Amino acid sequence: MDLHRLAPSGVFSASAARASGISGALLKSLVARGQCHPLHRGWYSVQRPTSDTG
């Protein structure tokens, strides 16, 4: 699955994923496989976020 088409900016919402045919279960699976990463409730990144602390 090419999440970059869904998120050309690198970030996408759960509602945009649903509108593109990605179910909640599939989104959870994508997170578990490391294909996307939760940022905040309902928002995901296609790249692993970097820590801004330190």
Side-chain angles (χ1 to χ4, degrees), residues 6-32:
L6 173 63
S9 67
V11 176
F12 65 95
S13 68
S15 61
R18 279 193 306 274
S20 294
I22 298 173
S23 68
L26 178 54
L27 186 55
K28 189 174 184 177
S29 175
L30 292 170
V31 169

